[in-house]
Amino acid sequence: MTDMRILGIETSCDETAAAVVVNGTRVLSSVVSTQIDLHARYGGVVPEVASRAHVEMLTPVVSQALLEAGMVDGAKVDAVAATVGPGLIGSLLVGVSAAKALALVWDVPFVAVNHLEAHLYAAFLEEPDLDLPLVVLLVSGGHTMLVCMEGHGRYRLLGQTVDDAAGEAFDKVARFLDLGYPGGPAIDRLAMEGDPHAVAFPRPMKNDGYDFSFSGLKTAVVNHVRKHPEINAADVAASFQEAVCDVLITKARRAAREIGAKGLCLGGGVAANSQLRERMLDACVADGLHAFLPSRAMCTDNAAMIAAAGWYRLASDGPSSLDTGANPSLSLAVLDP
Amino acid sequence: MLVLGIESATAQVGCAIGGHEGVLASAHSSRAKRHAEILTPQIDFVRRQARIELREIGVVAVDLGPGLFTGLRVGIASAMAIAHALTVPMIGVASLDLLAFPVRFTSKLIVAAIDARRGELFYAFYRPVPGGVQRVSEYEVSSPDDLASEILAHSEDCLVVGDGALRYHEVFDGLRKVELADFGFAHPNAASLVQLAHAQALREQWVRPWEIVPLYLRKPDVDINWTTRDSK
Ligand SMILES: [Zn+2]
């Protein structure tokens, strides 16, 4: 089989990203322009600000990705893949429009990619030999889901959050503790100096099915700090993080046991959290599971994972139509088991 | 030199290809909210109708707005990507200039007005000059009533053109010396874009793709969308 170089484009939220990946595994370049500074003063992502920044940054980011991959004029790109959802509609449309236009000019296939599926392929970039079935824990600012992966493109949703996403809880607690934005890395850093057992925060729904709930935990943190204003913020951060990880890992292990999974895969922005990574690796060693853990840089939104997922999608489904649009509420495709 | 023109600033999305022989082919669709789905196949269709290959394109022209932000960006992002992939320069033209251009044979003062939603219009004033129109005001965003007051202050015959003028026609219908252009002129036209851009291309008045700056005329709304945040 000849090598296939895919240009991936990602603009679903607040990162403008482009990457060139060969055969879904070899990353030739991965460029990410983050808008964190643009949104920091609002404490969250402002959709119109994000869309404007994508228009401004996308051409330079694509140029840089092609340059770093040694393909200055794009002449050697074999396909263009882009995130079509889920995400912010105005932001998605910038990347989808540009990707389809590039595919049209270069006369190569366009591939529509599901952002959630791409987060899984971030882990497979480094571990392409899948051990199926896999239990996938997908945790980000927008999603918290537990999925059974039975093959490429074959997913069964086991459970998801009934209220806040895990990353959202991190952001909200960080904002309450005045740690700034984004909240995940801030809590991760502060927690290293704190005692994770200082406060016994609740573990919502820990032993109850596969769904998650984090809004009560956030409220418990707020109430506890209001009642004990003198408390050490590092202890609060560490105890909160411990409670989130405890719930996530407990459920993922139980799912793996009940399904008879061969491995555990972690994906999404929260997968960059040190404590969660450590707990997951420990769990995999203890339970004899193959761990699929993306590198930290590949946990947050990037385009290498889009190009990788695009390669598998192209192989299984063929090119997407040029009349493809964006779908802001796209879910992880669930095929018949 | 062949020019590909793309415009998507209003409920209409369109593209055209032309050069010194005039406009070779064009297409427009005004089935709103589907700009991204429509535009890429539309460019391919127009390219085939013009009987050219995309690599023969020497300049990509695009409507810079003002207009409806989401649709506008579909056209601009597509145009930038095409120019980037072809390594050709770009020419940006304001949507309001494109609206005024087709009615240049009038002797009246021209007012181009695009629906800006939220009860407002994007608008500008133009005078017909030999071969085109000349803008004689800033690009503005304000209410239809404000525009009506400005028109009255000019106290001369006016031709008001654009989807914004039609949407708020009751504001302009009663005004003396004011005529409303019909729906045939309601949206910026990609053929006009090609015509205007070709003249600029001959003078090499162009920019690089990353130098294209959309004309928003409004600061972004700052409502934070927690539920769809997906990173970190
Ligand atoms: Zn993501």
Side-chain angles (χ1 to χ4, degrees), chain A residues 93-94 96-102 104-105 321-325, chain B residues 4-17 26-48 54 60-63 70-82 90 190 193:
Chain A
L93 283 171
V94 173
V96 172
S97 299
K100 291 197 299 175
L102 292 172
L104 179 68
V105 173
S321 165
L322 285 182
D323 65 8
T324 303
Chain B
L4 166 66
I6 293 173
E7 74 81 16
S8 63
T10 66
Q12 176 175 278
V13 56
C15 65
I17 291 172
S26 69
H28 293 85
S29 168
S30 50
R31 301 308 293 260
K33 292 198 170 183
R34 288 279 172 262
H35 288 11
E37 284 94 325
I38 290 169
L39 182 58
T40 329
Q42 191 185 56
I43 293 166
D44 195 37
F45 171 76
V46 167
R47 191 272 303 166
R48 282 183 278 115
L54 283 176
V60 178
V62 71
D63 181 343
T70 301
L72 176 66
R73 278 189 287 261
V74 165
I76 292 179
S78 302
M80 285 168 125
I82 291 172
M90 292 187 73
L193 173 59

XYZ file of all heavy atoms in Angstrom, chain A residues 93-94 96-102 104-105 321-325, chain B residues 4-17 26-48 54 60-63 70-82 90 190 193:
529
model
N -17.808 25.845 10.604
C -18.014 26.172 9.194
C -16.765 26.759 8.547
O -16.542 26.579 7.346
C -19.197 27.138 9.033
C -20.574 26.471 9.157
C -21.674 27.523 9.198
C -20.823 25.493 8.014
N -15.934 27.444 9.324
C -14.696 28.007 8.772
C -13.774 26.876 8.304
O -13.283 26.873 7.175
C -13.977 28.892 9.818
C -12.607 29.323 9.307
C -14.829 30.114 10.161
N -14.583 23.600 7.800
C -15.228 22.752 6.789
C -15.145 23.422 5.414
O -14.804 22.776 4.413
C -16.703 22.473 7.160
C -17.424 21.754 6.028
C -16.792 21.646 8.440
N -15.444 24.727 5.367
C -15.425 25.452 4.090
C -14.022 25.444 3.482
O -13.848 25.181 2.290
C -15.876 26.903 4.286
O -17.187 26.938 4.783
N -13.026 25.741 4.319
C -11.651 25.788 3.824
C -11.187 24.403 3.364
O -10.568 24.264 2.306
C -10.723 26.331 4.910
N -11.520 23.377 4.140
C -11.079 22.014 3.803
C -11.680 21.550 2.479
O -10.987 20.973 1.635
C -11.462 21.052 4.931
N -12.967 21.814 2.297
C -13.613 21.404 1.043
C -13.013 22.159 -0.142
O -12.809 21.589 -1.225
C -15.121 21.647 1.117
C -15.838 20.723 2.102
C -17.350 20.704 1.859
C -17.979 22.066 2.035
N -19.408 22.048 1.677
N -12.717 23.453 0.074
C -12.125 24.257 -0.997
C -10.743 23.727 -1.376
O -10.414 23.626 -2.563
C -12.049 25.727 -0.570
N -9.942 23.363 -0.375
C -8.607 22.803 -0.659
C -8.734 21.482 -1.415
O -8.011 21.237 -2.389
C -7.832 22.588 0.648
C -7.419 23.849 1.410
C -6.843 23.490 2.773
C -6.412 24.672 0.603
N -11.132 20.553 -3.313
C -11.593 20.846 -4.682
C -10.424 21.282 -5.572
O -10.262 20.782 -6.684
C -12.667 21.941 -4.641
C -13.245 22.388 -5.986
C -14.080 21.270 -6.609
C -14.105 23.642 -5.819
N -9.600 22.196 -5.072
C -8.493 22.702 -5.888
C -7.450 21.612 -6.141
O -6.961 21.458 -7.255
C -7.818 23.921 -5.218
C -6.565 24.337 -5.986
C -8.795 25.089 -5.130
N -19.052 13.837 0.620
C -19.517 14.705 -0.460
C -19.073 16.157 -0.225
O -18.961 16.611 0.913
C -21.036 14.636 -0.536
O -21.515 15.696 -1.304
N -18.874 16.875 -1.328
C -18.502 18.295 -1.210
C -19.693 19.149 -0.774
O -19.530 20.350 -0.528
C -17.926 18.809 -2.529
C -16.497 18.358 -2.863
C -16.036 18.982 -4.166
C -15.521 18.696 -1.736
N -20.895 18.577 -0.697
C -22.002 19.379 -0.160
C -22.217 19.112 1.338
O -23.250 19.456 1.905
C -23.300 19.201 -0.969
C -23.861 17.791 -0.889
O -23.344 16.980 -0.088
O -24.812 17.502 -1.633
N -21.203 18.532 1.986
C -21.257 18.324 3.433
C -21.226 19.679 4.147
O -20.484 20.571 3.754
C -20.029 17.501 3.887
O -20.017 16.275 3.161
C -20.085 17.209 5.374
N -22.041 19.801 5.194
C -22.015 21.012 6.022
C -21.489 20.662 7.402
O -20.877 19.620 7.594
N -11.952 34.385 -10.134
C -13.041 33.662 -9.486
C -13.583 34.579 -8.400
O -12.825 35.048 -7.553
C -12.531 32.354 -8.863
C -13.480 31.652 -7.875
C -14.739 31.135 -8.579
C -12.768 30.511 -7.159
N -14.886 34.860 -8.439
C -15.499 35.716 -7.426
C -16.453 34.911 -6.564
O -17.232 34.116 -7.083
N -16.373 35.107 -5.246
C -17.227 34.379 -4.307
C -17.896 35.391 -3.396
O -17.231 36.246 -2.817
C -16.382 33.402 -3.460
C -15.813 32.292 -4.353
C -17.211 32.811 -2.322
C -14.830 31.386 -3.642
N -19.236 35.282 -3.277
C -19.902 36.205 -2.346
C -20.954 35.441 -1.558
O -21.662 34.596 -2.097
C -20.447 37.422 -3.091
C -21.681 37.189 -3.919
C -22.946 37.205 -3.099
O -22.882 37.698 -1.966
O -23.961 36.702 -3.588
N -20.994 35.723 -0.248
C -21.897 34.970 0.622
C -22.340 35.820 1.813
O -22.591 35.308 2.882
C -21.175 33.717 1.132
O -20.063 34.089 1.928
N -22.408 37.151 1.604
C -22.632 38.052 2.739
C -24.092 38.135 3.184
O -24.375 38.586 4.294
C -22.109 39.448 2.405
N -25.007 37.735 2.329
C -26.425 37.847 2.698
C -27.068 36.461 2.655
O -26.378 35.462 2.710
C -27.166 38.779 1.717
O -27.176 38.169 0.411
C -26.488 40.134 1.624
N -28.387 36.421 2.542
C -29.084 35.130 2.452
C -28.740 34.421 1.144
O -29.085 33.266 0.954
C -30.588 35.340 2.549
N -28.078 35.118 0.248
C -27.687 34.521 -1.027
C -26.218 34.108 -1.011
O -25.390 34.771 -0.393
C -27.925 35.539 -2.140
C -27.460 35.058 -3.518
C -27.830 36.041 -4.603
O -28.949 36.061 -5.093
N -26.884 36.873 -4.959
N -25.919 33.009 -1.702
C -24.521 32.623 -1.876
C -24.298 32.416 -3.373
O -25.134 31.832 -4.061
C -24.166 31.353 -1.062
C -25.081 30.182 -1.403
C -22.704 30.951 -1.264
N -23.173 32.948 -3.881
C -22.964 32.847 -5.315
C -21.495 32.887 -5.681
O -20.641 33.249 -4.865
N -21.210 32.490 -6.907
C -19.853 32.618 -7.411
C -19.893 32.816 -8.921
O -20.902 32.514 -9.573
C -18.994 31.429 -7.021
S -19.497 29.882 -7.741
N -18.815 33.357 -9.458
C -18.737 33.633 -10.894
C -17.284 33.576 -11.317
O -16.373 33.756 -10.502
C -19.331 35.010 -11.204
N -17.085 33.296 -12.607
C -15.737 33.293 -13.175
C -15.758 34.180 -14.410
O -16.691 34.100 -15.225
C -15.295 31.850 -13.548
C -15.088 31.024 -12.278
C -14.001 31.874 -14.381
C -14.841 29.546 -12.529
N -21.781 32.016 -14.016
C -22.078 32.392 -12.634
C -23.252 31.587 -12.128
O -24.025 31.046 -12.912
C -22.393 33.890 -12.530
O -23.627 34.167 -13.156
N -23.367 31.478 -10.810
C -24.508 30.798 -10.196
C -24.790 31.445 -8.851
O -23.868 31.928 -8.182
C -24.206 29.313 -10.013
N -26.065 31.473 -8.482
C -26.465 32.043 -7.194
C -27.558 31.183 -6.593
O -28.374 30.626 -7.330
C -26.997 33.476 -7.365
C -25.952 34.446 -7.794
N -25.628 34.621 -9.122
C -25.146 35.273 -7.087
C -24.653 35.530 -9.205
N -24.341 35.932 -7.985
N -27.583 31.096 -5.283
C -28.681 30.415 -4.606
C -29.055 31.229 -3.386
O -28.190 31.725 -2.678
C -28.243 29.012 -4.176
O -29.214 28.479 -3.297
N -30.345 31.383 -3.162
C -30.752 32.147 -1.980
C -31.582 31.306 -1.031
O -32.439 31.809 -0.334
C -31.504 33.414 -2.391
O -32.518 33.078 -3.297
N -31.303 29.999 -1.006
C -31.936 29.159 0.012
C -31.079 29.322 1.262
O -30.092 28.626 1.454
C -31.996 27.692 -0.423
C -32.752 27.477 -1.713
C -34.127 28.115 -1.713
N -35.033 27.492 -0.768
C -35.959 26.592 -1.097
N -36.100 26.225 -2.340
N -36.747 26.087 -0.182
N -31.481 30.265 2.117
C -30.650 30.726 3.227
C -30.175 29.596 4.130
O -30.781 28.551 4.200
C -31.441 31.735 4.046
N -29.089 29.857 4.844
C -28.565 29.003 5.917
C -27.861 27.755 5.415
O -27.516 26.896 6.185
C -29.686 28.575 6.876
C -30.226 29.743 7.661
C -30.973 29.257 8.864
C -31.279 30.453 9.768
N -31.929 30.097 10.991
N -27.662 27.622 4.129
C -27.000 26.418 3.640
C -25.761 26.796 2.823
O -25.383 26.085 1.901
C -27.974 25.592 2.787
C -29.052 24.910 3.586
C -28.527 23.625 4.201
N -29.446 23.015 5.134
C -29.379 23.153 6.456
N -28.449 23.903 6.994
N -30.229 22.538 7.240
N -25.165 27.933 3.130
C -24.051 28.438 2.332
C -22.918 27.428 2.189
O -22.393 27.227 1.107
C -23.509 29.733 2.941
C -24.427 30.908 2.748
N -25.711 30.784 2.288
C -24.230 32.236 2.955
C -26.268 31.981 2.225
N -25.389 32.887 2.622
N -22.529 26.797 3.315
C -21.368 25.891 3.272
C -21.667 24.662 2.416
O -20.799 24.181 1.691
C -20.963 25.478 4.681
N -22.900 24.156 2.507
C -23.267 22.983 1.708
C -23.264 23.321 0.225
O -22.849 22.530 -0.610
C -24.675 22.485 2.091
C -24.741 21.725 3.392
C -25.090 22.627 4.557
O -24.653 23.814 4.561
O -25.779 22.167 5.480
N -23.768 24.523 -0.083
C -23.974 24.903 -1.487
C -22.683 25.338 -2.174
O -22.432 24.997 -3.332
C -25.032 26.039 -1.563
C -26.410 25.462 -1.200
C -25.050 26.692 -2.946
C -27.470 26.514 -0.982
N -21.852 26.116 -1.467
C -20.787 26.845 -2.155
C -19.753 25.961 -2.867
O -19.435 26.217 -4.038
C -20.077 27.803 -1.182
C -18.961 28.651 -1.804
C -19.484 29.491 -2.959
C -18.317 29.549 -0.756
N -19.224 24.926 -2.207
C -18.145 24.148 -2.850
C -18.621 23.484 -4.154
O -17.969 23.637 -5.193
C -17.541 23.102 -1.882
O -17.614 23.595 -0.560
C -16.116 22.783 -2.249
N -19.762 22.763 -4.138
C -20.237 22.195 -5.411
C -20.572 23.276 -6.445
O -20.386 23.055 -7.650
C -21.502 21.423 -5.027
C -21.452 21.259 -3.553
C -20.615 22.375 -3.014
N -21.018 24.433 -5.951
C -21.371 25.528 -6.862
C -20.134 26.036 -7.614
O -20.190 26.309 -8.817
C -22.004 26.664 -6.053
C -22.659 27.752 -6.892
C -23.145 28.888 -6.005
O -22.384 29.474 -5.252
N -24.436 29.184 -6.103
N -19.006 26.141 -6.896
C -17.763 26.588 -7.543
C -17.362 25.578 -8.620
O -16.973 25.948 -9.734
C -16.634 26.741 -6.499
C -16.943 27.877 -5.530
C -15.280 26.998 -7.190
C -16.070 27.896 -4.288
N -17.490 24.297 -8.305
C -17.124 23.255 -9.271
C -18.045 23.335 -10.506
O -17.589 23.201 -11.645
C -17.230 21.885 -8.591
C -16.534 20.798 -9.387
O -15.476 21.088 -9.983
O -17.049 19.671 -9.430
N -19.331 23.576 -10.240
C -20.312 23.698 -11.331
C -19.985 24.889 -12.240
O -19.937 24.767 -13.469
C -21.712 23.853 -10.720
C -22.791 24.206 -11.696
C -23.308 23.245 -12.556
C -23.304 25.499 -11.761
C -24.315 23.561 -13.464
C -24.301 25.827 -12.660
C -24.805 24.860 -13.518
N -19.721 26.032 -11.625
C -19.430 27.244 -12.398
C -18.118 27.075 -13.174
O -17.999 27.493 -14.334
C -19.383 28.483 -11.462
C -18.773 29.693 -12.159
C -20.787 28.811 -10.977
N -17.165 26.415 -12.559
C -15.882 26.148 -13.214
C -16.109 25.324 -14.490
O -15.552 25.611 -15.558
C -14.986 25.393 -12.214
C -13.539 25.220 -12.559
C -13.214 24.000 -13.361
N -13.634 22.744 -12.740
C -13.677 21.594 -13.395
N -13.348 21.536 -14.668
N -14.091 20.500 -12.787
N -16.969 24.309 -14.377
C -17.245 23.480 -15.559
C -18.054 24.245 -16.603
O -17.812 24.118 -17.801
C -17.949 22.175 -15.138
C -16.959 21.162 -14.552
C -17.606 19.833 -14.183
N -18.263 19.898 -12.882
C -19.580 19.784 -12.697
N -20.370 19.574 -13.724
N -20.082 19.853 -11.486
N -9.513 24.978 -12.558
C -9.299 25.940 -11.474
C -7.888 26.518 -11.505
O -7.661 27.663 -11.125
C -9.588 25.297 -10.112
C -11.079 25.148 -9.758
C -11.236 24.423 -8.433
C -11.777 26.511 -9.705
N -8.425 35.439 -6.880
C -9.681 35.079 -6.221
C -10.232 36.336 -5.549
O -9.556 36.961 -4.730
C -9.492 33.958 -5.182
C -10.820 33.647 -4.499
C -8.931 32.701 -5.849
N -11.460 36.718 -5.943
C -12.105 37.891 -5.356
C -13.167 37.430 -4.379
O -13.783 36.383 -4.567
C -12.736 38.743 -6.452
N -13.359 38.212 -3.313
C -14.357 37.810 -2.318
C -15.076 39.029 -1.760
O -14.505 40.108 -1.645
C -13.690 36.971 -1.193
C -12.796 37.832 -0.305
C -14.743 36.246 -0.361
N -16.360 38.800 -1.451
C -17.183 39.810 -0.783
C -16.745 39.854 0.679
O -16.795 38.849 1.380
C -18.655 39.386 -0.914
C -19.614 40.369 -0.271
O -19.169 41.205 0.541
O -20.811 40.295 -0.595
N -21.983 34.446 9.885
C -21.681 33.028 9.672
C -21.559 32.701 8.191
O -20.606 32.052 7.760
C -22.744 32.148 10.357
O -22.741 32.453 11.748
C -22.439 30.670 10.179
N -22.522 33.191 7.402
C -22.485 32.947 5.961
C -21.307 33.652 5.311
O -20.620 33.097 4.453
N -21.053 34.877 5.750
C -19.938 35.664 5.229
C -18.624 34.903 5.360
O -17.818 34.827 4.425
C -19.859 36.988 6.000
C -18.699 37.920 5.678
C -18.832 38.441 4.253
C -18.642 39.079 6.671
N -18.424 34.294 6.537
C -17.167 33.573 6.782
C -17.023 32.326 5.921
O -15.906 31.923 5.603
C -17.048 33.211 8.271
C -16.538 34.361 9.110
C -16.240 33.905 10.514
N -17.447 33.664 11.262
C -17.979 34.532 12.120
N -17.392 35.686 12.355
N -19.084 34.245 12.756
N -18.155 31.715 5.551
C -18.102 30.547 4.671
C -17.438 30.950 3.348
O -16.533 30.276 2.854
C -19.509 29.966 4.422
C -19.510 29.006 3.236
C -20.017 29.265 5.683
N -17.874 32.082 2.789
C -17.307 32.552 1.530
C -15.858 32.973 1.669
O -15.014 32.635 0.833
N -15.554 33.689 2.752
C -14.196 34.201 2.928
C -13.219 33.046 3.186
O -12.132 32.990 2.590
C -14.146 35.260 4.052
C -14.916 36.510 3.594
C -12.705 35.617 4.421
C -14.976 37.637 4.598
N -13.621 32.096 4.045
C -12.730 30.958 4.340
C -12.505 30.120 3.078
O -11.377 29.666 2.815
C -13.321 30.093 5.454
N -13.550 29.933 2.281
C -13.410 29.167 1.040
C -12.485 29.890 0.065
O -11.588 29.280 -0.531
C -14.777 28.955 0.373
O -15.661 28.287 1.244
N -12.708 31.197 -0.090
C -11.917 31.983 -1.042
C -10.444 32.010 -0.641
O -9.547 31.856 -1.482
C -12.477 33.403 -1.129
N -10.179 32.197 0.659
C -8.787 32.216 1.135
C -8.115 30.876 0.860
O -6.952 30.820 0.430
C -8.754 32.487 2.650
C -9.032 33.906 3.049
S -9.309 33.960 4.840
C -8.099 35.173 5.301
N -8.842 29.778 1.115
C -8.263 28.442 0.910
C -7.956 28.214 -0.564
O -6.907 27.658 -0.909
C -9.222 27.373 1.440
N -8.854 28.647 -1.440
C -8.629 28.453 -2.881
C -7.416 29.266 -3.338
O -6.541 28.753 -4.046
C -9.891 28.825 -3.683
C -10.991 27.792 -3.396
C -9.598 28.889 -5.189
C -12.339 28.147 -3.968
N -5.469 37.837 -3.851
C -6.902 38.030 -3.623
C -7.284 39.497 -3.710
O -6.466 40.384 -3.490
C -7.291 37.512 -2.231
C -7.188 36.005 -2.105
S -7.842 35.440 -0.517
C -9.612 35.663 -0.779
N -22.268 38.019 -7.669
C -20.901 37.544 -7.901
C -20.363 38.009 -9.252
O -19.156 38.186 -9.420
C -20.846 36.017 -7.802
N -18.954 41.300 -8.757
C -17.693 41.143 -8.029
C -16.558 40.843 -9.008
O -15.471 41.439 -8.932
C -17.840 40.018 -6.990
C -16.581 39.590 -6.233
C -15.976 40.760 -5.470
C -16.911 38.447 -5.260
